[in-house]
Every structure is written in structure tokens, then in C-alpha cells.
Amino acid sequence: MKLRCLIIDDEFLARQRLLKLLEPFDSILVIGECKNGQDALEKIKLKEPDLIFLDIQMPDMNGFTVYDKIQKKPYVIFTTAYDSYAIKAFKINAVDYLLKPFDEERLTIAIYRILDIKKTNKASKIEGQIKRLLLSLQEESSPFINQIVLSSKGRDTVINIDDVVYFKSDGNYVQLVTSEKSHLYRETMNMLYSQLDLSQFLRIHRSLILNKFYIRKCVYINNNVYKFELKNDLEVLSSRSFSSQISKYLSTQP
């Protein structure tokens, strides 16, 4: 029986190249492509693939976060153009890591590893191995925070950074606003900003940081002030002092 797989990568050419490389493999059936993390989560839930080729660096959420959010875990082969992630943890036989641009020979090795797992019934071990792998990668390779732990009355609440729609200054605290609710985090806005991945977050005001994935529209008002409409229908205004960052962000948008 063929392994039904999804290709998850924000680069169109990278997806097309992998599709071409997979053509000779009779054991692989490509059932779809995903251009970002949210698209991947929706299609994985709908199609339930056996295998995913998962890019690590994507604009809305990284591959580690995508995998963590998947309820029914498929086999996974990570892909990336950044060799900073190539650490010894990827020698675990349960998963593999492909450094772009990889060739057919390296892809063959990765696929045979997955097929060996399936054939020898090692699948029961894969989730625990991948979790250990992800922890190692996040601790050793990422300079940015990917989770915030809030403690209250002896209980911890973990907020994934990708789930935050925006951060708003609130006195000695910062509001972490997700699509579901708002949380208070005791931290200064400047300290929090220094820990965020600026490819994902945009500061538009001294007291406001937006997650770029949740920006629906940005409109210029006047005098270097912009109005942002978010996917939760909230509208916010920028301050003039952050107009250069906003202009740079807009220059990257299609």
C-alpha cells in the first residue's frame, strides 16, 4: 500500500521540485500541497496523510509548531534551507531531515527510513522520539521564544506564540490576545519584543505588536499613520514613529 503524503512548504518552486523528485517512487502518493502552517493543519485534519514533508521555516508558523498542533501524527520528514538546524538529534531513525537543495539519492534514504519504520512496526515509538527531537531543536537552535508560560494559583498555562493575535501593553503587564481569550503576562513590552521573531511579528505602536499572520489588511490613513484590520475584525492604528517598519513590511506583501 502506498504512503499518502502532503508537501508543506511556503516556496512554490520548492514544492514543485520535491514533486518532481518523488515521481519515481511507487511507494509514495502525493495527495496535496500546503503553502503555510495553517493550510497544512487544515489539510492534515481533512486528508489524514501517512507522511508529511514539513518545511521548518514558514512565515505564519514554523514546522515545529505545526507538528505540535497535529492531533493524529503522521510520519514526518523535515526540510529546510538552514543548516543551523542540522544537529545530531536528526540521526534518530524515526524521522529524517533534508537540507535544501537535496538530491534524489538523499531523498531515497529518507523515504527508505520511513518505509522501514512502517514495515517493522516501529510506529508506536515515533511520537515520543519526535517530541524529544523537537525539544532538542527548540532549545538548541532557536534564539526566539515559541511559548509563554503563565502561572496563576499554582497552575501553568502554556501559550504558543503562533496563537497570539497581538500583544498590547497594559501597565506593568502585557496582554497576550489569542483568538479565544486575553491573558496578562508580567513583562515589559520592550523585553518581550527583543525575544520575538521579527519575521513573524510587527510592532506598529509603542504599546502594540501584531502577529503578521493575523493581519487581514493595512490601509494608509495620513501623516504616516496606518490602519490595520485583523482577522478577528479588530481595527487598530499605528503611530508615526513606527512608519518605517510598516513600510518595510508592506514592501514584502504581494
Side-chain angles (χ1 to χ4, degrees):
M1 184 177 292
K2 293 186 176 184
L3 285 177
R4 300 164 63 255
C5 88
L6 281 175
I7 297 173
I8 305 165
D9 198 305
D10 63 306
E11 297 180 6
F12 173 77
L13 293 179
R15 298 197 303 271
Q16 292 302 299
R17 184 173 183 277
L18 182 51
L19 273 172
K20 188 69 176 177
L21 288 174
L22 287 171
E23 286 180 358
F25 294 92
D26 294 333
S27 56
I28 301 295
L29 173 65
V30 179
I31 59 172
E33 302 174 43
C34 310
K35 60 185 179 180
N36 56 49
Q38 188 59 43
D39 185 27
L41 291 173
E42 292 171 0
K43 287 183 179 175
I44 289 170
K45 184 177 181 180
L46 178 66
K47 296 176 178 286
E48 296 188 346
D50 305 304
L51 167 67
I52 57 175
F53 288 89
L54 181 56
D55 188 23
I56 292 177
Q57 296 289 98
M58 292 185 288
D60 61 333
M61 66 181 82
N62 65 47
F64 306 138
T65 302
V66 171
Y67 182 83
D68 188 54
K69 289 175 177 286
I70 300 171
Q71 292 185 349
K72 187 176 180 180
K73 310 285 189 188
Y75 301 119
V76 57
I77 297 175
F78 292 104
T79 65
T80 185
Y82 299 90
D83 60 5
S84 60
Y85 292 100
I87 61 177
K88 61 182 180 181
F90 273 108
K91 293 180 181 178
I92 295 174
N93 206 37
V95 293
D96 208 342
Y97 169 97
L98 299 177
L99 182 62
K100 301 174 185 177
F102 49 87
D103 56 19
E104 186 175 349
E105 180 180 359
R106 183 64 185 85
L107 178 62
T108 299
I109 293 171
I111 290 175
Y112 280 175
R113 284 179 175 171
I114 295 295
L115 293 175
D116 179 62
I117 293 166
K118 189 173 186 295
K119 182 179 179 180
T120 56
N121 294 318
K122 297 176 183 176
S124 61
K125 300 179 181 179
I126 189 170
E127 187 168 340
Q129 289 177 318
I130 293 177
K131 283 182 178 178
R132 290 192 294 273
L133 165 63
L134 297 186
L135 285 173
S136 298
L137 288 167
Q138 289 170 345
E139 289 171 359
E140 297 186 26
S141 62
S142 177
F144 310 114
I145 57 172
N146 52 68
Q147 291 181 333
I148 292 176
V149 180
L150 306 175
S151 298
S152 177
K153 298 180 181 179
R155 297 184 61 182
D156 289 343
T157 300
V158 179
I159 309 296
N160 286 321
I161 211 76
D162 293 326
D163 294 334
V164 178
V165 179
Y166 63 89
F167 299 97
K168 185 176 181 180
S169 179
D170 187 356
N172 294 324
Y173 292 82
V174 173
Q175 287 185 36
L176 283 63
V177 180
T178 69
S179 57
E180 298 177 350
K181 62 183 300 185
S182 175
H183 307 266
L184 279 179
Y185 177 46
R186 190 171 181 84
E187 183 61 275
T188 67
M189 200 68 161
N190 287 337
M191 180 58 70
L192 174 65
Y193 186 64
S194 70
Q195 300 174 75
L196 295 175
D197 182 354
L198 300 189
S199 68
Q200 181 179 358
F201 290 92
L202 175 67
R203 192 168 189 177
I204 67 165
H205 194 280
R206 181 173 55 86
S207 62
L208 197 59
I209 301 171
L210 307 182
N211 187 334
K212 294 177 182 178
F213 176 69
Y214 292 98
I215 297 174
R216 178 183 292 155
K217 185 168 60 175
C218 176
V219 178
Y220 181 73
I221 303 299
N222 57 49
N223 200 22
N224 286 329
V225 173
Y226 296 82
K227 181 174 72 173
F228 286 83
E229 179 185 329
L230 306 183
K231 292 182 180 179
N232 63 355
D233 296 326
L234 178 71
E235 293 184 350
V236 293
L237 296 178
S238 69
S239 68
R240 287 177 294 174
S241 55
F242 289 89
S243 61
S244 61
Q245 290 96 312
I246 297 170
S247 295
K248 185 177 180 180
Y249 159 72
L250 291 174
S251 70
T252 66
Q253 300 307 295

